[in-house]
Every structure is written in structure tokens, then in C-alpha cells.
Amino acid sequence: MVEEEWAKRGIDVGTPSVARLYDYYLGGKDNFAADRAAAEEILSVAPELRRAARENRAFLGRAVRLAAAAGIGQFLDIGTGLPTRGNVHEVAHQVSPDARIAYVDNDPIVLVHARALLRGNRGQVTVVPGDLRQPEEILKSHEIREHLDFSAPMAVLLVAVMHFITESDDPRRIMATLRDAMPSGSYLILSHGTRESRAEAADKGTKVYERANSPLVLRTRQEILDLFDGFELLDPGLVWLPEWRPDGVPPPGDPSQALILCGVGKKI
């Protein structure tokens, strides 16, 4: 669908979208001129973002496989972004064909594309509108409650989304709300941008994101660790994306070039 058609449907195609920026970094085509211009502005100072996006998707895949292999049969992916290769349901179903997945996003274009992709999977996969800034609304959603069993362990994915939560949104409240709804034995899969690598580029990148539909908040390693409060971090802890249980030999180069820290925690 071209930009004019999206605009006729009430979609703001002139404001860069964090989901469409990410799609552009991954080489996708579901983005508009405003997204491409903003992305290229960021890439001019932080070309590593393309690698970071690929490494982030690879981390998601490894973490989902680990959770599914550990017996987790349901996944709640909040801030899922535009569908691409290696989506949660695709990875989980390779290990656990009966796994149930709920995708949540607040971007109307994401919801349209996700529902189109998942046609035929509706028994095991659902797509629900929701905003991470209002976790209570997500958790009490009738569709979410019908699809997932909150008395059984699950995996909650917050992959490259918490860095769009500002301090005024109260990230600790958000994390506590989600944690308290998760039964013991559940997994938290989280990745988060940090300014501890390439601080100058990070500063310039955050300025570009001020023009997007969500600002970018890059936190310190300790601040990201604090998001795992109430969870026991699995080995190797909070690390750069390519360092988290790589398949085979880790890729060459400085792992901090991936720009994003990640980890998986288990609720005891």
C-alpha cells in the first residue's frame, strides 16, 4: 500500500515511526519517506545500527528457542514491531508446535501487517492493540486473557522497546506490573539500547528520535539491570547482543558495536 493510501486511512506518514525505522535498518520495505530520511540521518553517525538491528533479531530467536526448549508454551511479545523473518511464533513453533503467542503493538500499520501475516494462525497466534505505557490495559485485555493462561509460566518479550519508555512513563511501575502478573518460572526476554558505547553518536541519534512518534531513552548498564528486578538473570547475564549464547563462534569485532545490551531473566 502506497503512502497516499495509508494517509487516506488516517495514518500519519510524515512523522517517523520507531517501528518503521527499525524495519528500514533491517532492510525492509514497509517504511515511508520520512522514516527513510530520519533513518539515514541516524545511520550517517551510527552506521552500526544496521548490525544492531540484525543482532537484535538474532538474540530474539536464540532467547525464544531457549524458553521454548525449557517448556515455555506461551509468549507475550509487547512492542512487536513490523513482521520480518524469524518472528516469535515462527521460532517458537519450531521447538513447540502448540505454543501460543500474543503480539501487542500500538502502531496501526504494525497491526495491519501482523494480522495479514498471521491469517491461518489465529488459533495459536493473536494480535492485539496495546501500549506498553499502559501495561494494566494489556493484561486485562479480554483477547489476551482468552489466549494466554496467566496461571502457567510464560515468556514476556520486551525486545528493543523499553528504550522508548521515558522516565515520566515510570519504567519501574511498568516492569513491576508485568512481573507481578507473571507466574513463577516465567521468563523475561529484554534488550535495551545504551549510551555506554558511542556516546557522541548516541546523543545525535536521540535528537533524531525526538522527531519520531516515541523518543529514545538510552540507559546505563545499571539502569537496564534494574529492569530485571525480581528476576534471576540466566548466564551470561546482561551482555552485548552478540555475546548472549551465540550460535557457534561469536561474530568478529567489538561486541559493543551492536549498541544494545540484552539478557533473559527467570522469575523464581
Side-chain angles (χ1 to χ4, degrees):
M1 191 181 297
V2 298
E3 292 190 25
E4 292 80 5
E5 292 172 336
W6 283 113
K8 288 177 182 177
R9 298 178 62 169
I11 302 299
D12 181 1
V13 300
T15 299
S17 154
V18 297
R20 300 193 301 265
L21 287 168
Y22 187 52
D23 175 71
Y24 184 80
Y25 302 146
L26 286 168
K29 301 184 185 305
D30 295 314
N31 45 72
F32 302 140
D35 307 308
R36 295 189 285 275
E40 286 296 336
E41 188 175 345
I42 296 170
L43 289 167
S44 70
V45 295
E48 308 96 319
L49 263 175
R50 288 196 187 278
R51 175 189 174 184
R54 292 192 300 269
E55 293 283 5
N56 193 60
R57 292 301 295 183
F59 159 70
L60 178 148
R62 297 194 300 273
V64 168
R65 282 196 296 273
L66 175 140
I72 297 296
Q74 47 183 359
F75 297 80
L76 175 59
D77 184 7
I78 304 176
T80 180
L82 282 156
T84 184
R85 286 177 294 179
N87 299 294
V88 173
H89 71 283
E90 295 169 327
V91 177
H93 286 162
Q94 290 173 0
V95 181
S96 176
D98 295 327
R100 300 176 71 82
I101 293 88
Y103 291 112
V104 178
D105 207 286
N106 66 351
D107 187 311
I109 294 182
V110 168
L111 298 172
V112 168
H113 281 279
R115 286 169 178 152
L117 173 72
L118 297 171
R119 228 171 256 130
N121 286 288
R122 299 294 286 179
Q124 292 170 267
V125 186
T126 190
V127 182
V128 181
D131 193 319
L132 179 57
R133 289 167 290 195
Q134 299 172 340
E136 300 87 355
E137 297 302 312
I138 294 172
L139 294 171
K140 72 181 185 183
S141 159
H142 175 74
E143 194 168 359
I144 293 288
R145 286 282 169 181
E146 285 285 309
H147 197 71
L148 302 178
D149 177 5
F150 280 81
S151 69
M154 64 180 59
V156 172
L157 290 94
L158 300 174
V159 176
V161 65
M162 283 299 294
H163 49 226
F164 298 117
I165 297 296
T166 66
E167 287 304 303
S168 64
D169 295 323
D170 197 351
R172 282 154 288 279
R173 171 191 61 84
I174 292 170
M175 296 304 302
T177 300
L178 294 172
R179 182 195 64 224
D180 292 348
M182 299 164 64
S184 295
S186 294
Y187 287 75
L188 171 65
I189 299 171
L190 182 146
S191 62
H192 195 302
T194 178
R195 67 185 316 279
E196 295 192 2
S197 170
R198 298 290 314 278
E200 182 180 355
D203 289 341
K204 291 179 179 178
T206 55
K207 285 183 172 59
V208 175
Y209 271 94
E210 288 173 3
R211 306 200 304 266
N213 60 348
S214 291
L216 180 65
V217 182
L218 300 176
R219 295 184 168 89
T220 66
R221 176 180 290 268
Q222 185 56 55
E223 287 172 329
I224 299 169
L225 270 174
D226 290 344
L227 299 177
F228 285 94
D229 183 41
F231 297 88
E232 182 180 291
L233 270 172
L234 305 184
D235 289 336
L238 184 68
V239 295
W240 298 108
L241 290 168
E243 296 179 314
W244 197 89
R245 303 196 182 195
D247 296 323
V249 179
D254 180 358
S256 71
Q257 295 291 301
L259 306 176
I260 294 175
L261 292 167
C262 65
V264 176
K266 185 175 183 181
K267 185 175 177 181
I268 306 302

